[in-house]
Amino acid sequence: MMMQIKRIICSFVTDNRSSTMKTCHLILACILLIGVPLQASAQQEVSKDSIPPTREEKNRNVMLNAKNDREPRQISIGLPAQFAADIFEDGLPVAELYWPIMPSTTWRNSLSLSSNKLMSLGESALLFGKMENIVSSENRHGGDKFLGLGRYSFNHFGKHQVDFNVSGPIAKGWGYTVGSYQSFDPGSNKLDVMSLQDRMEIYKAGINKRWNNNKGEVSLLYQYSANTTFADASGPFYFNGEDGSVEPFEDFNLGRDQYLPHYRAFHYLSLEDNKEYDVNIEKANRDHAHQLTLNFKYKWDNGTTLTVGSKLKDAQQRTATYNIAGIFEVTEADGYTYEDGTPYVGYVQNRHTRRPYGIERSWMTSAELTGKAGNKDQHSWRVGLNEWFSYQSMSYPTGLQPHEVKENPRILLVNGQQMTNFNSGADYYLGHENRLAVYFSDDWTINDRLWLSAGFRIDWQKLHGKGAFSTDVDGNVFDPSNIRRPGFTVATGKLYPFKGNWLNPSFTFNGRYRIAGGLGVLGEVVFVQQRPNMQDYAGCDLPNESPVISNIFKGGIYFNNSWLELTSQVFHIQQTNYKSRTQFTNPNDQSETVTIAVLYDVATVGWTTDAVITPFKGFTFHGLLTLQNPLYKNFNFQPVFKDGPGQQYNFTDKNVTAISKFILELDPSYQIEKWRFWLSFRYQSKQYINKTNTLFFKGRWETFGGIDYTLNDHLSFSLNLVNILNQKGASGNIGAADLATDVAKYQHHHLMSGGYIRPFTMELGASIKF
C-alpha cells in the first residue's frame, strides 16, 4: 500500500506542473511548517479529545459550503458524491432518500437546533446503512428557565435571513419551544424570472414533559416548511484543455451576470394526460412539508437509557428548472429564430427543462437502548431498531429549450417551436418502500492501552411499485411504447410492476492500542451492502439489482500531547456496481448522443493526516491533508449508434471524473477577550472532465473567513466572508469528449457552459440571547 501512496504523490506532482508557483509554494510552506498539514475549525470551536473519535468526525466545518449556503457540503471520501447530503434530525433521517424530497427543502441550520454533529463513516453505516458522513442534529426542548435566541444577517447581494427560537417552562416538568427560520435570497446574479432565488420558511412548535428528576422526558414537535428555490448558477466560458484554465466569454462575469432568459411561463407535456401546459414559474417551484415528531427518553439509575423517536411526514415537491446542456453553432439553414421570426445565426445554449412533481408520505420510527456492563463498566453497548416506511411517487416531464449564448439572453425558437424533445428523458414511478433493521454495537475498554469496538446491522428492505419500463437488465426491449422518444407519455405507454425483497448487512470494527504516553496505533474496517431504491426504477431500463458493496480499510498512528493532536492513516475504499444512465456522443457524428445504462466499480487508495495545534492560549491551527487515487474498475461497455455498434470501450483504471487527488484544508483561529478571528482555506487539485482523462479543470481554492465580536452575554456581532480570493471555480463536462480520441479542438478557447462556486460575498450578522 505504501508503494501505491508513493505513486499517488508522484502522480500529483506530475499532474500539477502547470499550477502557479504561488500555489505550489504556499502548499509546500504549509506542509514544511508543521510536518503534516492541519485542518481547522472556522465557524465552530475546535474540539480536542485525548483519544481519536470513532463515532463523530470533528472540526470539518461541514456547513461552510462553497456551492451554496442552503445545505451541508459533502465530505470527499474518495467515492463519487451523491446528489445531496444526507441529514439526521432527532435520531431520524430528514429524508430516507434524497429524492424526490431533498433534505435541504425541509431542514436548515437554524437556532431551533441545539446541536449539529458529523457522523463517522462507521456510525453512518451502523445507523443508516450507507457509506458517507451524515450531519446529525437535535432540536431544542423547553428547560427550567426561559431562553430566547435570535439572529439577523444580510449580505451585500441583498439576502436577508431572520432566525429565532424561544423555549422555557410552562408548569412543573412541562416545557415548550417555538421557532421560525426565514430566508430571502435574490442570489448574486439577479434573475428576471424570479425575484428570490431561494425563499425558505420553517416554523416549529413543540412541548415536552420531564419527570422523575429529569430521568424521563417525552416531547412532541410539529414542523411546517415551505421552500421556493429557483437558482441558476451557470454561465458560458472558454475552456483551455492544455492547462485546465478558463477565460471569460465576451466579458461574461460568472456569478454576477444573468444567463437565463426572461421566461414568462414554464411549458411541458404532462406524462399523465398527454396534454401541454403552461405554468407560472414561481408557483411551479414550491415544496412544502408537514412533520410531526414524537420523542421519548428514559434513563434508569444504572445508566441504561432508552430512546425512541417516531416521525410522520407529508411532503410534496413541485419544481420547474432549466439545466444547461450543450453549446453549438447554427446557421440560418438550421431554422433557429427569435420570437419575432428574425433568423438567428451564432452560438446556441440548449437547456434541459425539468418539471418533477414528487410526493413523500413516510412514517419512520427508531428505538435505541444503551448501557454499560462488565467489570468497571468496560463494555458500552447499544442495540437499536429502525422501522421506516415511505410512499413515494415521481412524475418527471422533460424537454429541450434553446437560447442565445450571452448575458441576458433572448429566447430562441426551433422551426417555430420554443420547446422540443418533450419527455425524451422523462422519469416516472410510484410505490412504497419499507426498511426494518436491527443493529448492535459494543465499545470494549480492555485496559488502559487497548480499546476495541464492533457493530453489526441487518436491514430488511422491501419495495413494491410501478414504473414505465421498456428494457430489461440485459438491454432487451420488451415494450417499445415506453422508450423515451420525443412525445413519450405514460398515457400512451404502459406501467409495469416491480418489487424487491432483500437483506442488507453492514458491520464495523475499530481498534486502538496506546503504545506509550500519547502515542498509539489505530485501525478501522467498515462494510455496507445496499440494493436499489425507489428512484432506481424511474427510467425506462430495469435496474441491475446486484448488491452494491462499499467497504473501507484504514489504519495508522495517533499522537496527543498538551499542544498537538495528530492522526495519520492510510486507507483503501471501494464501492461496486455503480449504476447510472449516461449520455455518450458518437465520435463519428457529434450531433448524435445515446443514453446507456452503465455499471462499474470505483476503488481508491489514499493517505490522510489530521492534526490540531494549540501552541499558545487562544490560537488554534487545524489541518487536513488527503492524497488519494480514485479509479474506475470493471468499466466496460459498447455503445450502439445509428451507424452501427461502436468500439468496445474500457475505462478501467482511469481516474474518476470530478474527484481531486489532493485535498488540503488549513484553518487558523485566534480568540482574544471578546474577539475571535478565523479563516478556512480548502484546496482541491485538478479534476478530470472526461473519462479518458485527457481533459481537466485545474485546481482551485475555496476560502472563508470571519470576525466574531461578543459585546456582552446578550449581544454579539459577526462579519463573514465567502470566497475571499474570488475564484470562479468553474466546473462542467464535455460529453462529446468522453469517447473522443482526438481532443485537439478542446485545447484552446473551447466555448462551453458550466457551474461555478459562490462569488465573493460579505455577510453581516447580529445575534441576541435573552
Side-chain angles (χ1 to χ4, degrees):
M1 181 173 286
M2 292 308 297
M3 290 299 295
Q4 291 176 296
I5 298 298
K6 181 178 179 181
R7 285 196 293 270
I8 296 174
I9 297 173
C10 294
S11 173
F12 166 73
V13 174
T14 302
D15 289 345
N16 287 272
R17 287 173 178 169
S18 59
S19 299
T20 63
M21 290 301 294
K22 182 178 180 181
T23 299
C24 292
H25 287 167
L26 178 58
I27 294 173
L28 183 60
C30 293
I31 295 175
L32 292 177
L33 176 65
I34 58 176
V36 291
L38 306 170
Q39 133 79 30
S41 175
Q43 292 182 325
Q44 60 201 38
E45 294 292 341
V46 171
S47 174
K48 288 196 64 177
D49 289 334
S50 59
I51 58 175
T54 59
R55 295 186 179 181
E56 180 183 348
E57 294 281 349
K58 298 187 177 182
N59 313 310
R60 295 305 304 272
N61 301 314
V62 69
M63 295 310 299
L64 291 182
N65 191 338
K67 293 184 178 180
N68 66 69
D69 61 355
R70 298 185 292 273
E71 60 185 340
R73 70 184 179 99
Q74 295 194 53
I75 304 295
S76 176
I77 61 172
L79 298 176
Q82 64 176 31
F83 189 70
D86 282 310
I87 305 170
F88 267 46
E89 189 173 18
D90 289 339
L92 292 164
V94 171
E96 195 271 327
L97 183 65
Y98 59 81
W99 192 254
I101 311 299
M102 294 177 59
S104 62
T105 63
T106 59
W107 183 95
R108 294 294 166 92
N109 186 27
S110 68
L111 293 175
S112 295
L113 301 175
S114 61
S115 66
N116 270 332
K117 298 178 181 179
L118 187 66
M119 293 185 194
S120 66
L121 296 181
E123 188 74 353
S124 300
L126 197 62
L127 300 187
F128 199 34
K130 295 184 72 173
M131 181 79 75
E132 62 172 321
N133 294 120
I134 298 175
V135 172
S136 178
S137 59
E138 293 185 2
N139 281 290
R140 294 186 185 276
H141 292 176
D144 297 329
K145 296 181 180 180
F146 174 82
L147 175 63
L149 301 171
R151 177 174 171 79
Y152 168 72
S153 63
F154 66 95
N155 68 28
H156 73 283
F157 292 122
K159 175 185 176 180
H160 297 268
Q161 183 177 300
V162 181
D163 187 10
F164 81 89
N165 183 264
V166 293
S167 60
I170 301 175
K172 184 178 180 180
W174 289 88
Y176 71 92
T177 181
V178 176
S180 174
Y181 174 95
Q182 306 288 324
S183 179
F184 309 82
D185 187 3
S188 61
N189 58 334
K190 306 298 187 294
L191 301 180
D192 292 333
V193 71
M194 291 280 280
S195 58
L196 295 174
Q197 296 190 38
D198 181 60
R199 172 71 177 102
M200 185 65 179
E201 306 170 63
I202 298 179
Y203 306 92
K204 295 181 180 180
I207 58 172
N208 57 281
K209 167 64 176 175
R210 293 188 177 97
W211 70 93
N212 197 9
N213 296 322
N214 293 334
K215 291 180 180 180
E217 180 180 21
V218 63
S219 64
L220 184 66
L221 180 73
Y222 170 76
Q223 173 182 311
Y224 172 76
S225 57
N227 177 237
T228 300
T229 297
F230 186 89
D232 183 55
S234 65
F237 50 84
Y238 286 117
F239 170 71
N240 298 313
E242 189 173 44
D243 62 359
S245 63
V246 299
E247 297 177 18
F249 169 75
E250 296 183 353
D251 297 323
F252 187 95
N253 190 356
L254 290 173
R256 299 304 310 275
D257 292 340
Q258 177 180 225
Y259 192 51
L260 192 71
H262 189 180
Y263 294 114
R264 289 171 291 279
F266 188 93
H267 190 69
Y268 70 99
L269 174 64
S270 171
L271 286 170
E272 286 81 3
D273 60 15
N274 198 22
K275 295 180 181 179
E276 295 184 26
Y277 292 92
D278 288 305
V279 294
N280 176 276
I281 292 180
E282 186 162 354
K283 293 181 179 179
N285 284 273
R286 185 71 168 173
D287 306 331
H288 65 85
H290 299 270
Q291 297 181 147
L292 187 64
T293 305
L294 176 68
N295 283 304
F296 171 88
K297 185 175 183 179
Y298 192 86
K299 184 176 183 179
W300 284 270
D301 292 337
N302 63 358
T304 302
T305 303
L306 174 65
T307 305
V308 181
S310 188
K311 179 176 69 174
L312 288 170
K313 180 179 179 182
D314 183 2
Q316 294 186 15
Q317 177 208 44
R318 290 184 175 91
T319 307
T321 62
Y322 299 86
N323 300 88
I324 55 172
I327 290 179
F328 54 95
E329 193 171 10
V330 299
T331 65
E332 188 171 338
D334 293 313
Y336 285 80
T337 66
Y338 291 109
E339 289 182 289
D340 62 4
T342 304
Y344 175 78
V345 175
Y347 288 108
V348 173
Q349 171 72 70
N350 255 343
R351 296 249 180 189
H352 286 301
T353 63
R354 301 173 180 178
R355 175 71 171 112
Y357 171 63
I359 293 176
E360 177 192 337
R361 296 189 177 101
S362 60
W363 183 10
M364 292 186 284
T365 300
S366 291
E368 185 176 89
L369 187 66
T370 63
K372 295 183 181 295
N375 184 30
K376 297 182 180 179
D377 293 336
Q378 287 180 304
H379 292 273
S380 296
W381 57 268
R382 61 177 166 173
V383 59
L385 174 71
N386 304 141
E387 169 53 38
W388 299 339
F389 172 86
S390 66
Y391 168 83
Q392 302 171 22
S393 69
M394 170 56 68
S395 177
Y396 195 119
T398 64
L400 206 59
Q401 197 158 333
H403 64 73
E404 296 177 294
V405 179
K406 61 181 295 185
E407 180 186 356
N408 300 318
R410 294 169 63 185
I411 297 171
L412 295 177
L413 306 182
V414 188
N415 298 321
Q417 300 296 316
Q418 182 174 328
M419 181 83 72
T420 61
N421 285 55
F422 283 113
N423 295 336
S424 59
D427 285 348
Y428 187 89
Y429 68 90
L430 56 88
H432 61 265
E433 181 174 10
N434 192 81
R435 292 176 61 184
L436 175 62
V438 292
Y439 61 89
F440 172 81
S441 73
D442 181 38
D443 298 344
W444 183 18
T445 304
I446 299 175
N447 52 45
D448 62 354
R449 290 182 179 271
L450 181 60
W451 175 91
L452 298 175
S453 176
F456 179 77
R457 174 187 179 92
I458 187 69
D459 195 332
W460 182 19
Q461 177 191 7
K462 295 187 68 175
L463 52 84
H464 185 277
K466 294 181 179 180
F469 309 118
S470 65
T471 311
D472 63 22
V473 293
D474 297 319
N476 302 311
V477 176
F478 60 83
D479 190 341
S481 68
N482 281 337
I483 294 176
R484 301 307 196 259
R485 300 187 180 95
F488 164 79
T489 66
V490 175
T492 58
K494 182 180 179 181
L495 295 181
Y496 292 90
F498 63 85
K499 62 181 179 179
N501 188 355
W502 307 290
L503 287 177
N504 297 315
S506 302
F507 69 81
T508 69
F509 180 80
N510 283 278
R512 183 171 61 245
Y513 180 76
R514 184 174 63 85
I515 299 173
L519 176 65
V521 294
L522 71 167
E524 181 178 20
V525 178
V526 181
F527 172 93
V528 173
Q529 176 178 298
Q530 294 175 278
R531 295 281 186 162
N533 54 51
M534 293 290 292
Q535 202 274 329
D536 290 323
Y537 295 87
C540 62
D541 301 315
L542 279 166
N544 187 306
E545 297 178 346
S546 301
V548 177
I549 305 295
S550 305
N551 55 67
I552 185 171
F553 303 87
K554 59 182 179 179
I557 64 170
Y558 71 90
F559 179 75
N560 301 319
N561 61 22
S562 60
W563 58 272
L564 173 65
E565 182 180 327
L566 168 70
T567 304
S568 185
Q569 300 183 81
V570 294
F571 66 89
H572 178 274
I573 188 170
Q574 182 177 13
Q575 184 164 321
T576 66
N577 292 327
Y578 270 99
K579 306 174 182 71
S580 68
R581 300 178 71 236
T582 306
Q583 287 189 332
F584 293 100
T585 300
N586 188 342
N588 304 317
D589 181 3
Q590 297 285 300
S591 65
E592 182 189 3
T593 62
V594 296
T595 301
I596 302 172
V598 294
L599 194 69
Y600 57 89
D601 305 339
V602 171
T604 300
V605 173
W607 169 52
T608 182
T609 296
D610 188 296
V612 183
I613 288 181
T614 53
F616 53 87
K617 182 180 179 181
F619 180 79
T620 302
F621 200 87
H622 248 211
L624 176 72
L625 165 71
T626 300
L627 295 174
Q628 59 187 15
N629 193 27
L631 300 175
Y632 290 117
K633 298 292 183 181
N634 301 316
F635 198 166
N636 303 279
F637 67 97
Q638 184 179 27
V640 178
F641 299 104
K642 292 178 181 178
D643 54 4
Q647 71 179 71
Q648 185 76 32
Y649 290 93
N650 185 359
F651 293 138
T652 299
D653 290 332
K654 293 293 185 180
N655 281 110
V656 180
T657 57
I659 301 181
S660 296
K661 290 185 178 182
F662 177 87
I663 300 172
L664 177 66
E665 301 184 14
L666 303 167
D667 304 297
S669 174
Y670 180 62
Q671 185 161 356
I672 179 171
E673 296 180 349
K674 296 182 177 182
W675 295 88
R676 180 170 179 261
F677 307 86
W678 61 269
L679 292 170
S680 180
F681 291 167
R682 296 198 294 260
Y683 178 76
Q684 302 177 54
S685 67
K686 74 178 190 181
Q687 298 181 354
Y688 287 108
I689 299 175
N690 61 342
K691 294 178 177 60
T692 54
N693 293 173
T694 53
L695 300 172
F696 62 90
F697 284 113
K698 70 178 184 179
R700 71 167 189 256
W701 286 95
E702 298 175 354
T703 51
F704 305 83
I707 301 174
D708 302 325
Y709 174 70
T710 302
L711 180 64
N712 52 43
D713 292 340
H714 304 286
L715 187 61
S716 61
F717 302 92
S718 63
L719 167 65
N720 294 327
L721 303 177
V722 177
N723 197 355
I724 299 172
L725 300 181
N726 200 25
Q727 293 205 333
K728 299 302 181 182
S731 62
N733 63 75
I734 304 176
D738 259 342
L739 304 182
T741 55
D742 182 8
V743 294
K745 67 178 182 179
Y746 306 109
Q747 296 300 308
H748 301 285
H749 265 61
H750 172 71
L751 180 61
M752 64 178 292
S753 56
Y756 49 81
I757 61 176
R758 296 156 63 189
F760 172 77
T761 305
M762 180 172 62
E763 179 184 273
L764 291 172
S767 298
I768 186 171
K769 180 179 180 181
F770 56 96

